[in-house]
Amino acid sequence: MWVFSRKDGRPLDKDDGDYLRKNAPQVVDWAKADGLKKVIAGTNFDLELGNLELLKKRFVVEDYSGK
């Protein structure tokens, strides 16, 4: 499980959502949290093997995968 939020602390918008879906296609479930300031991503795929570094350039990324 991964949590994404904007670096500026503002709520996520449509462009953010589109960017996440495009660059994290391995995520099977998305859940909004904290008044749209965070989204929780559920996947069995290790995002570090995907576009995680790209996502980190735009978002604060928290890893709760329990690796």
Side-chain angles (χ1 to χ4, degrees):
M1 183 168 67
W2 300 79
V3 177
F4 295 91
S5 58
R6 289 176 56 135
K7 289 188 175 189
D8 63 7
R10 295 177 54 206
L12 295 156
D13 60 25
K14 183 183 179 322
D15 290 335
D16 295 321
D18 291 345
Y19 189 87
L20 284 166
R21 283 187 296 281
K22 177 183 176 189
N23 292 293
Q26 308 86 353
V27 173
V28 294
D29 290 312
W30 293 99
K32 300 171 189 170
D34 195 20
L36 292 176
K37 289 188 176 186
K38 295 183 179 188
V39 291
I40 301 166
T43 182
N44 290 328
F45 180 81
D46 184 354
L47 291 181
E48 290 179 353
L49 301 176
N51 292 329
L52 187 61
E53 291 307 312
L54 179 68
L55 296 169
K56 285 182 176 179
K57 290 180 181 179
R58 182 167 175 163
F59 301 101
V60 175
V61 180
E62 301 171 64
D63 178 5
Y64 295 97
S65 62
K67 291 184 260 177

